[in-house]
Amino acid sequence: MGEMLERARRIADEVFFPAAGEVDASGVVPRGHFDLLAEEGFYGLAAPAEIGGPGLELPEIVAVLETLAGGCLSTTFTWMQHHGVVLALSATTNADLCEQHLAAALKGETRFGVAFAGAIPPVPRLRAERVDGGFRLHGEAPFVSGWGDVDLLQVSARDGEQVINGLIEPDAGRSLRVQGLDLVAAQATNTVRLEFDGYELPASQVVGEITHAEMIAGQVVGSRLNGCLACGLTGRIIRLLGLHEVAAKLRAELDEVRRRLDAGMADLESLYPARAAASELAYRAAGVLVAATGSAGVLRASHPQRLARESVFTLVAAGRPQTKAALLDLLA
């Protein structure tokens, strides 16, 4: 843990955070950010040792994600999507697909995004129709990050109660239409809406099939890791506050939120309010930083106003109805 976390701290403090204002203003993550993560071995972060990864335990992965998120939210959020695909490739029964992509994925030579939100609701927004040789996809994937920054997307679509996960090229065309989204924060994630109209997914590109219930159960780890975004922002805010008297109080609250998130790994229903508490803390801490900074805190080039907007992003990013309900209780 020590070595990778120290490298993450160096990258966050010396590269990501100094550039975060320009990334926010331009809406573009420099290619060098992703290249640096690849050079330092971070594209294989979540992979077990037996497939060539560092074999880190979950607390070690969490610490790295928080650190990088506190450096640049846009870079970290986009890069985080890659790891779910690495794990899917490592577990697939499609040996040809694994052989084709896994080694390059671990090195960051091939970079992946995900589009799974369309398969999650009880009534799916993205459907898979079985046809000879594979599937046709119909519907939408509402929020897909990394468009233009990733080489391949893992798309999840529903066929009844089955979830089909497959790899597609991120290229617009007649059967795949793309709508850019204008976000209040993290615009550099290049988040888009995808509309599928009979898009052909060959069986050779299918990573795997699971039930909808299995997919929902598998959201536990993802929900815990997405909590790192809010915790990372709060950690950076505490550092910016320095010796301000409120910093110690926020630090104690952050420790408690982390404890609740960890405990939620054993109880999904308690993980949702823990996720809400993490985002509410980031939102409140950002307000504290703006107030403590004074009028300069609302200048376009200032870190406080950017962090305040990014804290709003964490209120809804990768959210679920249960998280939303818990947040409304907290905020009201």
Side-chain angles (χ1 to χ4, degrees):
M1 174 178 180
E3 182 185 354
M4 290 206 79
L5 183 55
E6 282 306 312
R7 277 187 278 159
R9 285 173 177 156
R10 174 176 54 80
I11 291 170
D13 291 345
E14 298 179 9
V15 181
F16 286 5
F17 188 68
E22 177 57 29
V23 169
D24 177 68
S26 67
V28 177
V29 174
R31 182 75 176 182
H33 280 23
F34 299 122
D35 291 343
L36 179 58
L37 289 172
E39 291 165 9
E40 295 287 345
F42 284 97
Y43 272 88
L45 179 72
E50 54 266 29
I51 65 167
L56 300 184
E57 298 294 331
L58 185 62
E60 300 171 306
I61 295 172
V62 163
V64 170
L65 293 181
E66 280 194 23
T67 298
L68 293 175
C72 180
L73 181 71
S74 291
T75 303
T76 304
F77 186 77
T78 305
W79 158 81
M80 278 176 63
Q81 319 300 313
H82 177 87
H83 303 293
V85 187
V86 169
L87 295 178
L89 286 171
S90 70
T92 186
T93 57
N94 187 335
D96 290 341
L97 204 62
C98 178
E99 184 176 353
Q100 183 180 358
H101 294 299
L102 182 57
L106 291 171
K107 297 175 184 176
E109 295 171 350
T110 303
R111 299 165 190 179
F112 292 88
V114 294
F116 60 80
I120 289 179
V123 178
R125 300 174 73 167
L126 184 57
R127 295 174 291 104
E129 173 194 5
R130 291 182 187 269
V131 296
D132 288 343
F135 299 86
R136 287 199 183 99
L137 306 184
H138 306 271
E140 67 167 1
F143 289 93
V144 180
S145 296
W147 191 262
D149 291 319
V150 299
D151 302 302
L152 291 168
L153 280 174
Q154 179 174 294
V155 174
S156 300
R158 287 263 295 283
D159 174 27
E161 287 303 306
Q162 290 294 114
V163 177
I164 314 303
N165 298 308
L167 300 182
I168 70 168
E169 300 276 351
D171 294 322
R174 182 187 60 80
S175 59
L176 178 58
R177 293 184 288 274
V178 182
Q179 176 190 1
L181 302 177
D182 189 10
L183 306 183
V184 70
Q187 182 67 22
T189 58
N190 286 338
T191 299
V192 299
R193 173 183 174 270
L194 300 181
E195 183 177 347
F196 296 81
D197 185 11
Y199 185 94
E200 294 186 1
L201 173 66
S204 61
Q205 294 300 110
V206 172
V207 182
E209 298 185 32
I210 58 175
T211 67
H212 182 245
E214 288 171 334
M215 182 184 192
I216 297 301
Q219 294 292 302
V220 175
V221 174
S223 292
R224 172 64 186 94
L225 295 182
N226 277 303
C228 295
L229 300 173
C231 291
L233 290 188
T234 301
R236 176 61 66 174
I237 289 166
I238 290 169
R239 292 178 63 184
L240 291 174
L241 285 167
L243 298 177
H244 195 287
E245 60 185 14
V246 77
K249 179 179 183 296
L250 292 173
R251 188 175 295 108
E253 289 191 68
L254 179 57
D255 288 341
E256 173 60 15
V257 162
R258 288 169 174 150
R259 186 199 65 75
R260 290 179 60 188
L261 286 166
D262 290 339
M265 292 293 294
D267 177 13
L268 184 57
E269 289 308 311
S270 69
L271 183 57
Y272 293 126
R275 274 287 313 280
S279 292
E280 189 273 341
L281 177 59
Y283 183 66
R284 182 159 40 87
V288 169
L289 181 62
V290 171
T293 303
S295 56
V298 296
L299 294 176
R300 176 63 67 178
S302 73
H303 287 303
Q305 62 81 26
R306 174 180 58 79
L307 289 163
R309 288 184 289 106
E310 289 178 347
S311 74
V312 172
F313 180 88
T314 75
L315 294 174
V316 296
R320 298 291 176 265
Q322 299 94 324
T323 312
K324 179 180 179 179
L327 268 169
L328 292 176
D329 284 343
L330 283 172
L331 294 171

